[in-house]
Amino acid sequence: MKIENIRPGEIESRSFEIITELLGDKKLDPRYESVIKRCIHTSADFDYADNLYFTDGVIETIQEAIKSGAYIVTDTQMARAGINKRRIEKYGGQVLCFIGDDDVAAEAKARGVTRSFVSMEKASRLDRPVIFAIGNAPTALLSIYDLVKAGKLSPAAVVGVPVGFVNVVESKERLIELGVPAIVAKGRKGGSNIAAAIINAIQYKIEE
């Protein structure tokens, strides 16, 4: 097998060319193509060409929220680290994660629930719109579901792509049923890297 001689600055663009080649005749919705390809680029998993669910207008909703200075709240520090913050901070927003906060840990232990569950409750008390990027904990999505149903939260949007086996599929189905602006990786696949990739793909398309 021949090794390609690619300059460091050209690796990403060449990767996307290969993704396009491997997709072959498969047609992607042009509204979501950049997000789908970014997820494939991040994971080398072509299942994302079929398993991503988008509510109508969610891309524009997230872009407008970013431009208005919304917070982005993640369920892991890994997702927070993976999100490019330059443009978000330019518009006055921040990328936050409460999973390691002492008050979250103490309350979760006292109530017998996960820190992810409590961290979403903490996020619901923020003073501006919130985009949630959930890549690890289905309990974070269940918390968001409960908060919305109780009238305590109206998220700008939710990226719901937790990975795993326990309550993963069920939590994603509840998010879809909720009717809020959302992007969901149906099934068991996802991850913090996918949550960050989706946010990045969307913000990279914001016209400046």
Side-chain angles (χ1 to χ4, degrees):
M1 184 176 292
K2 182 181 179 182
I3 299 295
E4 294 189 52
N5 185 19
I6 304 292
R7 294 179 181 274
E10 299 171 349
I11 292 174
E12 181 173 286
S13 61
R14 178 57 184 141
S15 295
F16 279 94
E17 289 175 2
I18 293 171
I19 289 168
T20 300
E21 292 167 5
L22 292 176
L23 283 168
D25 294 333
K26 186 172 187 61
K27 300 298 183 184
L28 302 179
D29 188 321
R31 297 175 296 173
Y32 311 130
E33 183 174 355
S34 63
V35 172
I36 294 168
K37 287 184 175 179
R38 179 68 59 176
C39 290
I40 295 171
H41 176 261
T42 297
S43 62
D45 188 341
F46 282 80
D47 282 354
Y48 288 106
D50 298 303
N51 68 9
L52 287 174
Y53 165 88
F54 301 81
T55 59
D56 288 342
V58 66
I59 302 296
E60 293 78 12
T61 296
I62 292 175
Q63 288 176 332
E64 289 303 314
I66 290 172
K67 288 163 67 176
S68 70
Y71 290 128
I72 297 175
V73 172
T74 69
D75 63 329
T76 64
Q77 292 293 350
M78 179 180 174
R80 180 180 179 275
I83 294 173
N84 189 318
K85 301 168 186 64
R86 181 188 65 80
R87 183 179 283 100
I88 291 163
E89 292 173 352
K90 170 189 171 182
Y91 289 116
Q94 297 181 56
V95 184
L96 307 171
C97 180
F98 302 128
I99 196 73
D101 290 6
D102 291 341
D103 58 335
V104 168
E107 184 173 347
K109 184 177 180 180
R111 291 167 55 188
V113 296
T114 68
R115 287 182 295 167
S116 297
F117 194 94
V118 175
S119 67
M120 297 300 107
E121 295 177 336
K122 184 170 182 175
S124 74
R125 299 189 289 271
L126 290 169
D127 60 356
R128 65 178 71 179
V130 177
I131 302 162
F132 290 91
I134 309 303
N136 182 69
T139 54
L141 291 188
L142 295 175
S143 182
I144 291 169
Y145 179 88
D146 288 349
L147 289 162
V148 172
K149 283 294 188 180
K152 297 179 179 179
L153 175 66
S154 180
V158 182
V159 173
V161 293
V163 60
F165 299 94
V166 178
N167 290 329
V168 168
V169 174
E170 294 81 0
S171 68
K172 293 173 179 179
E173 290 175 349
R174 284 199 177 183
L175 174 57
I176 292 171
E177 293 169 4
L178 202 54
V180 299
I183 300 172
V184 182
K186 291 185 174 181
R188 301 192 184 282
K189 292 186 177 182
S192 296
N193 58 336
I194 297 298
I198 290 171
I199 295 295
N200 287 338
I202 293 171
Q203 65 160 318
Y204 292 159
K205 291 294 185 179
I206 293 176
E207 294 184 4
E208 297 187 335

mmCIF file with all atom_site columns, all heavy atoms in Angstrom, residues 191-207:
data_model
loop_
_atom_site.group_PDB
_atom_site.id
_atom_site.type_symbol
_atom_site.label_atom_id
_atom_site.label_alt_id
_atom_site.label_comp_id
_atom_site.label_asym_id
_atom_site.label_entity_id
_atom_site.label_seq_id
_atom_site.pdbx_PDB_ins_code
_atom_site.Cartn_x
_atom_site.Cartn_y
_atom_site.Cartn_z
_atom_site.occupancy
_atom_site.B_iso_or_equiv
_atom_site.pdbx_formal_charge
_atom_site.auth_seq_id
_atom_site.auth_comp_id
_atom_site.auth_asym_id
_atom_site.auth_atom_id
_atom_site.pdbx_PDB_model_num
ATOM 1   N N   . GLY A 1 191 ? -20.360 9.612  21.758 1.00 0.00 ? 191 GLY A N   1
ATOM 2   C CA  . GLY A 1 191 ? -19.153 9.865  22.531 1.00 0.00 ? 191 GLY A CA  1
ATOM 3   C C   . GLY A 1 191 ? -18.879 11.349 22.680 1.00 0.00 ? 191 GLY A C   1
ATOM 4   O O   . GLY A 1 191 ? -19.419 12.187 21.949 1.00 0.00 ? 191 GLY A O   1
ATOM 5   N N   . SER A 1 192 ? -18.028 11.683 23.633 1.00 0.00 ? 192 SER A N   1
ATOM 6   C CA  . SER A 1 192 ? -17.660 13.077 23.873 1.00 0.00 ? 192 SER A CA  1
ATOM 7   C C   . SER A 1 192 ? -17.011 13.700 22.653 1.00 0.00 ? 192 SER A C   1
ATOM 8   O O   . SER A 1 192 ? -17.236 14.888 22.356 1.00 0.00 ? 192 SER A O   1
ATOM 9   C CB  . SER A 1 192 ? -16.712 13.153 25.075 1.00 0.00 ? 192 SER A CB  1
ATOM 10  O OG  . SER A 1 192 ? -17.355 12.735 26.258 1.00 0.00 ? 192 SER A OG  1
ATOM 11  N N   . ASN A 1 193 ? -16.210 12.901 21.938 1.00 0.00 ? 193 ASN A N   1
ATOM 12  C CA  . ASN A 1 193 ? -15.561 13.426 20.738 1.00 0.00 ? 193 ASN A CA  1
ATOM 13  C C   . ASN A 1 193 ? -16.585 13.747 19.650 1.00 0.00 ? 193 ASN A C   1
ATOM 14  O O   . ASN A 1 193 ? -16.427 14.720 18.903 1.00 0.00 ? 193 ASN A O   1
ATOM 15  C CB  . ASN A 1 193 ? -14.512 12.441 20.218 1.00 0.00 ? 193 ASN A CB  1
ATOM 16  C CG  . ASN A 1 193 ? -15.074 11.065 19.897 1.00 0.00 ? 193 ASN A CG  1
ATOM 17  O OD1 . ASN A 1 193 ? -16.106 10.655 20.429 1.00 0.00 ? 193 ASN A OD1 1
ATOM 18  N ND2 . ASN A 1 193 ? -14.385 10.334 19.044 1.00 0.00 ? 193 ASN A ND2 1
ATOM 19  N N   . ILE A 1 194 ? -17.654 12.967 19.574 1.00 0.00 ? 194 ILE A N   1
ATOM 20  C CA  . ILE A 1 194 ? -18.700 13.218 18.585 1.00 0.00 ? 194 ILE A CA  1
ATOM 21  C C   . ILE A 1 194 ? -19.498 14.463 18.959 1.00 0.00 ? 194 ILE A C   1
ATOM 22  O O   . ILE A 1 194 ? -19.834 15.288 18.092 1.00 0.00 ? 194 ILE A O   1
ATOM 23  C CB  . ILE A 1 194 ? -19.627 11.998 18.445 1.00 0.00 ? 194 ILE A CB  1
ATOM 24  C CG1 . ILE A 1 194 ? -18.839 10.778 17.918 1.00 0.00 ? 194 ILE A CG1 1
ATOM 25  C CG2 . ILE A 1 194 ? -20.805 12.304 17.533 1.00 0.00 ? 194 ILE A CG2 1
ATOM 26  C CD1 . ILE A 1 194 ? -18.231 10.981 16.534 1.00 0.00 ? 194 ILE A CD1 1
ATOM 27  N N   . ALA A 1 195 ? -19.797 14.623 20.240 1.00 0.00 ? 195 ALA A N   1
ATOM 28  C CA  . ALA A 1 195 ? -20.509 15.829 20.685 1.00 0.00 ? 195 ALA A CA  1
ATOM 29  C C   . ALA A 1 195 ? -19.716 17.081 20.335 1.00 0.00 ? 195 ALA A C   1
ATOM 30  O O   . ALA A 1 195 ? -20.264 18.064 19.818 1.00 0.00 ? 195 ALA A O   1
ATOM 31  C CB  . ALA A 1 195 ? -20.761 15.761 22.191 1.00 0.00 ? 195 ALA A CB  1
ATOM 32  N N   . ALA A 1 196 ? -18.407 17.044 20.597 1.00 0.00 ? 196 ALA A N   1
ATOM 33  C CA  . ALA A 1 196 ? -17.555 18.194 20.273 1.00 0.00 ? 196 ALA A CA  1
ATOM 34  C C   . ALA A 1 196 ? -17.471 18.399 18.765 1.00 0.00 ? 196 ALA A C   1
ATOM 35  O O   . ALA A 1 196 ? -17.509 19.544 18.283 1.00 0.00 ? 196 ALA A O   1
ATOM 36  C CB  . ALA A 1 196 ? -16.157 17.981 20.857 1.00 0.00 ? 196 ALA A CB  1
ATOM 37  N N   . ALA A 1 197 ? -17.372 17.319 18.011 1.00 0.00 ? 197 ALA A N   1
ATOM 38  C CA  . ALA A 1 197 ? -17.275 17.417 16.553 1.00 0.00 ? 197 ALA A CA  1
ATOM 39  C C   . ALA A 1 197 ? -18.512 18.076 15.961 1.00 0.00 ? 197 ALA A C   1
ATOM 40  O O   . ALA A 1 197 ? -18.411 18.885 15.023 1.00 0.00 ? 197 ALA A O   1
ATOM 41  C CB  . ALA A 1 197 ? -17.075 16.030 15.942 1.00 0.00 ? 197 ALA A CB  1
ATOM 42  N N   . ILE A 1 198 ? -19.682 17.755 16.492 1.00 0.00 ? 198 ILE A N   1
ATOM 43  C CA  . ILE A 1 198 ? -20.925 18.337 15.977 1.00 0.00 ? 198 ILE A CA  1
ATOM 44  C C   . ILE A 1 198 ? -20.955 19.839 16.242 1.00 0.00 ? 198 ILE A C   1
ATOM 45  O O   . ILE A 1 198 ? -21.272 20.635 15.342 1.00 0.00 ? 198 ILE A O   1
ATOM 46  C CB  . ILE A 1 198 ? -22.141 17.631 16.602 1.00 0.00 ? 198 ILE A CB  1
ATOM 47  C CG1 . ILE A 1 198 ? -22.253 16.207 16.049 1.00 0.00 ? 198 ILE A CG1 1
ATOM 48  C CG2 . ILE A 1 198 ? -23.426 18.413 16.329 1.00 0.00 ? 198 ILE A CG2 1
ATOM 49  C CD1 . ILE A 1 198 ? -23.283 15.346 16.750 1.00 0.00 ? 198 ILE A CD1 1
ATOM 50  N N   . ILE A 1 199 ? -20.622 20.242 17.452 1.00 0.00 ? 199 ILE A N   1
ATOM 51  C CA  . ILE A 1 199 ? -20.593 21.679 17.764 1.00 0.00 ? 199 ILE A CA  1
ATOM 52  C C   . ILE A 1 199 ? -19.582 22.386 16.869 1.00 0.00 ? 199 ILE A C   1
ATOM 53  O O   . ILE A 1 199 ? -19.859 23.472 16.328 1.00 0.00 ? 199 ILE A O   1
ATOM 54  C CB  . ILE A 1 199 ? -20.252 21.912 19.241 1.00 0.00 ? 199 ILE A CB  1
ATOM 55  C CG1 . ILE A 1 199 ? -21.359 21.353 20.152 1.00 0.00 ? 199 ILE A CG1 1
ATOM 56  C CG2 . ILE A 1 199 ? -20.015 23.397 19.516 1.00 0.00 ? 199 ILE A CG2 1
ATOM 57  C CD1 . ILE A 1 199 ? -22.695 22.051 20.028 1.00 0.00 ? 199 ILE A CD1 1
ATOM 58  N N   . ASN A 1 200 ? -18.418 21.798 16.686 1.00 0.00 ? 200 ASN A N   1
ATOM 59  C CA  . ASN A 1 200 ? -17.394 22.426 15.848 1.00 0.00 ? 200 ASN A CA  1
ATOM 60  C C   . ASN A 1 200 ? -17.839 22.539 14.401 1.00 0.00 ? 200 ASN A C   1
ATOM 61  O O   . ASN A 1 200 ? -17.649 23.578 13.754 1.00 0.00 ? 200 ASN A O   1
ATOM 62  C CB  . ASN A 1 200 ? -16.084 21.650 15.947 1.00 0.00 ? 200 ASN A CB  1
ATOM 63  C CG  . ASN A 1 200 ? -15.392 21.858 17.279 1.00 0.00 ? 200 ASN A CG  1
ATOM 64  O OD1 . ASN A 1 200 ? -15.625 22.853 17.970 1.00 0.00 ? 200 ASN A OD1 1
ATOM 65  N ND2 . ASN A 1 200 ? -14.538 20.927 17.665 1.00 0.00 ? 200 ASN A ND2 1
ATOM 66  N N   . ALA A 1 201 ? -18.417 21.477 13.868 1.00 0.00 ? 201 ALA A N   1
ATOM 67  C CA  . ALA A 1 201 ? -18.868 21.508 12.474 1.00 0.00 ? 201 ALA A CA  1
ATOM 68  C C   . ALA A 1 201 ? -19.878 22.627 12.251 1.00 0.00 ? 201 ALA A C   1
ATOM 69  O O   . ALA A 1 201 ? -19.845 23.306 11.213 1.00 0.00 ? 201 ALA A O   1
ATOM 70  C CB  . ALA A 1 201 ? -19.487 20.160 12.093 1.00 0.00 ? 201 ALA A CB  1
ATOM 71  N N   . ILE A 1 202 ? -20.749 22.834 13.218 1.00 0.00 ? 202 ILE A N   1
ATOM 72  C CA  . ILE A 1 202 ? -21.779 23.866 13.086 1.00 0.00 ? 202 ILE A CA  1
ATOM 73  C C   . ILE A 1 202 ? -21.186 25.259 13.204 1.00 0.00 ? 202 ILE A C   1
ATOM 74  O O   . ILE A 1 202 ? -21.488 26.154 12.412 1.00 0.00 ? 202 ILE A O   1
ATOM 75  C CB  . ILE A 1 202 ? -22.887 23.643 14.132 1.00 0.00 ? 202 ILE A CB  1
ATOM 76  C CG1 . ILE A 1 202 ? -23.656 22.354 13.816 1.00 0.00 ? 202 ILE A CG1 1
ATOM 77  C CG2 . ILE A 1 202 ? -23.844 24.838 14.179 1.00 0.00 ? 202 ILE A CG2 1
ATOM 78  C CD1 . ILE A 1 202 ? -24.618 21.918 14.891 1.00 0.00 ? 202 ILE A CD1 1
ATOM 79  N N   . GLN A 1 203 ? -20.313 25.444 14.174 1.00 0.00 ? 203 GLN A N   1
ATOM 80  C CA  . GLN A 1 203 ? -19.769 26.803 14.348 1.00 0.00 ? 203 GLN A CA  1
ATOM 81  C C   . GLN A 1 203 ? -18.792 27.169 13.242 1.00 0.00 ? 203 GLN A C   1
ATOM 82  O O   . GLN A 1 203 ? -18.670 28.354 12.888 1.00 0.00 ? 203 GLN A O   1
ATOM 83  C CB  . GLN A 1 203 ? -19.111 26.954 15.724 1.00 0.00 ? 203 GLN A CB  1
ATOM 84  C CG  . GLN A 1 203 ? -17.870 26.102 15.956 1.00 0.00 ? 203 GLN A CG  1
ATOM 85  C CD  . GLN A 1 203 ? -17.030 26.630 17.092 1.00 0.00 ? 203 GLN A CD  1
ATOM 86  O OE1 . GLN A 1 203 ? -16.843 27.836 17.215 1.00 0.00 ? 203 GLN A OE1 1
ATOM 87  N NE2 . GLN A 1 203 ? -16.537 25.743 17.940 1.00 0.00 ? 203 GLN A NE2 1
ATOM 88  N N   . TYR A 1 204 ? -18.120 26.198 12.631 1.00 0.00 ? 204 TYR A N   1
ATOM 89  C CA  . TYR A 1 204 ? -17.203 26.503 11.527 1.00 0.00 ? 204 TYR A CA  1
ATOM 90  C C   . TYR A 1 204 ? -17.949 27.064 10.320 1.00 0.00 ? 204 TYR A C   1
ATOM 91  O O   . TYR A 1 204 ? -17.337 27.725 9.476  1.00 0.00 ? 204 TYR A O   1
ATOM 92  C CB  . TYR A 1 204 ? -16.432 25.244 11.113 1.00 0.00 ? 204 TYR A CB  1
ATOM 93  C CG  . TYR A 1 204 ? -15.443 24.729 12.128 1.00 0.00 ? 204 TYR A CG  1
ATOM 94  C CD1 . TYR A 1 204 ? -15.004 23.413 12.085 1.00 0.00 ? 204 TYR A CD1 1
ATOM 95  C CD2 . TYR A 1 204 ? -14.960 25.544 13.149 1.00 0.00 ? 204 TYR A CD2 1
ATOM 96  C CE1 . TYR A 1 204 ? -14.102 22.913 13.019 1.00 0.00 ? 204 TYR A CE1 1
ATOM 97  C CE2 . TYR A 1 204 ? -14.055 25.058 14.080 1.00 0.00 ? 204 TYR A CE2 1
ATOM 98  C CZ  . TYR A 1 204 ? -13.628 23.745 14.013 1.00 0.00 ? 204 TYR A CZ  1
ATOM 99  O OH  . TYR A 1 204 ? -12.739 23.250 14.942 1.00 0.00 ? 204 TYR A OH  1
ATOM 100 N N   . LYS A 1 205 ? -19.254 26.799 10.237 1.00 0.00 ? 205 LYS A N   1
ATOM 101 C CA  . LYS A 1 205 ? -20.048 27.261 9.112  1.00 0.00 ? 205 LYS A CA  1
ATOM 102 C C   . LYS A 1 205 ? -20.710 28.611 9.370  1.00 0.00 ? 205 LYS A C   1
ATOM 103 O O   . LYS A 1 205 ? -21.443 29.115 8.517  1.00 0.00 ? 205 LYS A O   1
ATOM 104 C CB  . LYS A 1 205 ? -21.118 26.227 8.757  1.00 0.00 ? 205 LYS A CB  1
ATOM 105 C CG  . LYS A 1 205 ? -20.574 24.937 8.153  1.00 0.00 ? 205 LYS A CG  1
ATOM 106 C CD  . LYS A 1 205 ? -19.947 25.205 6.790  1.00 0.00 ? 205 LYS A CD  1
ATOM 107 C CE  . LYS A 1 205 ? -19.501 23.908 6.115  1.00 0.00 ? 205 LYS A CE  1
ATOM 108 N NZ  . LYS A 1 205 ? -18.911 24.162 4.776  1.00 0.00 ? 205 LYS A NZ  1
ATOM 109 N N   . ILE A 1 206 ? -20.467 29.200 10.535 1.00 0.00 ? 206 ILE A N   1
ATOM 110 C CA  . ILE A 1 206 ? -21.008 30.528 10.821 1.00 0.00 ? 206 ILE A CA  1
ATOM 111 C C   . ILE A 1 206 ? -20.259 31.529 9.938  1.00 0.00 ? 206 ILE A C   1
ATOM 112 O O   . ILE A 1 206 ? -19.032 31.595 9.943  1.00 0.00 ? 206 ILE A O   1
ATOM 113 C CB  . ILE A 1 206 ? -20.846 30.919 12.294 1.00 0.00 ? 206 ILE A CB  1
ATOM 114 C CG1 . ILE A 1 206 ? -21.730 30.016 13.170 1.00 0.00 ? 206 ILE A CG1 1
ATOM 115 C CG2 . ILE A 1 206 ? -21.216 32.382 12.520 1.00 0.00 ? 206 ILE A CG2 1
ATOM 116 C CD1 . ILE A 1 206 ? -21.575 30.250 14.651 1.00 0.00 ? 206 ILE A CD1 1
ATOM 117 N N   . GLU A 1 207 ? -21.011 32.297 9.170  1.00 0.00 ? 207 GLU A N   1
ATOM 118 C CA  . GLU A 1 207 ? -20.387 33.286 8.291  1.00 0.00 ? 207 GLU A CA  1
ATOM 119 C C   . GLU A 1 207 ? -19.934 34.486 9.094  1.00 0.00 ? 207 GLU A C   1
ATOM 120 O O   . GLU A 1 207 ? -20.663 35.018 9.933  1.00 0.00 ? 207 GLU A O   1
ATOM 121 C CB  . GLU A 1 207 ? -21.392 33.717 7.214  1.00 0.00 ? 207 GLU A CB  1
ATOM 122 C CG  . GLU A 1 207 ? -21.768 32.606 6.254  1.00 0.00 ? 207 GLU A CG  1
ATOM 123 C CD  . GLU A 1 207 ? -22.692 33.082 5.140  1.00 0.00 ? 207 GLU A CD  1
ATOM 124 O OE1 . GLU A 1 207 ? -22.971 34.288 5.094  1.00 0.00 ? 207 GLU A OE1 1
ATOM 125 O OE2 . GLU A 1 207 ? -23.126 32.230 4.352  1.00 0.00 ? 207 GLU A OE2 1
#
